[in-house]
Amino acid sequence: MAVPARSRGTASAPSRSVSVTDKGSLMRNAVPLLLLALAACSSQPSADDPPPDVAAVNIDAIDSAKDQGVDKTPPDNDQAPSPGTPGGLANDMMPVSEAPFTADSAQGGADVVQRYFALIEAKKYGEAWTLWEDGGKASGKTPEAFAKDFEAYSTYHANVGAPGDVDAGAGQRYVTVPVIVYGRLKQGDKRFDLKGNVTLHLTVVDGASEAQKHWHIRSVDLAPSPG
């Protein structure tokens, strides 16, 4: 599935990652499941654009990577690639800030990404769908089709990195958050590893709705990577 968006302000701030399985440990400079291999560098699709089957796209890409020797036999319990290694998030030894953050800050956007992937890991697909822009419609899927995309996975995990700086202009705000997704496919119990970015958007123009003033997902851009 492709829910394109313009790429604004790539992540540049140093960070450490946090897994969505680490309960109660929201990191302020870094925060932690998928999704849809989407393009982050084009305009939002029209209602006439047929959304592709993201699950099938990812499986085909993973099979191709495996044929090229990318896929490696993982341990019995799935582990995320270590920071600084191929397929992992950027490595950073700086201490994690514990300073408060506002909902419209870059870290507020990263918090939305963490909640999004935590909901997917908990199989609460309907709630995750609503974190996309336009009440979920920006995903290019109905809630039912969105949930169906995850049927191919037996396990699904993610780590979320530190957000980049907020890109502001003309009453619009964008932030990009790096993420890695990993787990296993039901078919053949194959390991998969994906890496990319989530782009979020909010608006502060006069007349904007309350929902539009909060971060929502504009695009998710993931591609196979070494695990």
Side-chain angles (χ1 to χ4, degrees):
M1 162 172 48
V3 178
R6 293 176 295 175
S7 180
R8 315 267 184 152
T10 55
S12 58
S15 74
R16 298 169 67 183
S17 64
V18 55
S19 168
V20 296
T21 58
D22 294 337
K23 300 179 179 178
S25 61
L26 173 61
M27 297 184 180
R28 301 310 187 230
N29 279 345
V31 292
L33 283 191
L34 151 99
L35 179 46
L36 325 166
L38 315 162
C41 297
S42 53
S43 59
Q44 189 168 333
S46 70
D48 296 330
D49 292 333
D53 184 342
V54 62
V57 169
N58 283 347
I59 291 172
D60 290 344
I62 292 164
D63 283 341
S64 176
K66 181 178 174 65
D67 291 341
Q68 298 174 31
V70 171
D71 187 75
K72 300 177 178 63
T73 303
D76 290 339
N77 58 330
D78 295 329
Q79 299 291 329
S82 299
T85 63
L89 293 168
N91 195 11
D92 169 43
M93 301 305 293
M94 292 184 66
V96 175
S97 171
E98 295 298 327
F101 61 88
T102 60
D104 60 352
S105 66
Q107 191 61 46
D111 183 51
V112 171
V113 176
Q114 184 184 5
R115 286 191 286 118
Y116 173 73
F117 286 129
L119 286 168
I120 293 177
E121 186 164 338
K123 302 186 186 303
K124 297 180 179 181
Y125 305 125
E127 293 181 51
W129 181 80
T130 64
L131 294 180
W132 283 79
E133 280 195 304
D134 196 17
K137 295 178 182 178
S139 68
K141 298 276 187 174
T142 64
E144 295 77 17
F146 179 81
K148 188 175 179 61
D149 281 334
F150 297 96
E151 293 180 356
Y153 305 98
S154 58
T155 62
Y156 202 91
H157 314 288
N159 282 6
V160 175
D165 295 333
V166 174
D167 185 1
Q172 308 300 315
R173 304 286 186 271
Y174 297 85
V175 67
T176 301
V177 182
V179 62
I180 60 171
V181 176
Y182 61 98
R184 288 183 180 275
L185 299 169
K186 291 179 180 178
Q187 183 179 3
D189 195 33
K190 296 177 182 177
R191 165 83 179 210
F192 72 89
D193 290 90
L194 306 173
K195 184 177 182 179
N197 296 293
V198 179
T199 300
L200 302 100
H201 169 254
L202 63 78
T203 182
V204 294
V205 299
D206 293 339
S209 67
E210 191 61 29
Q212 291 172 330
K213 295 177 182 178
H214 292 80
W215 290 119
H216 284 84
I217 296 171
R218 167 65 65 93
S219 70
V220 179
D221 181 10
L222 298 174
S225 68

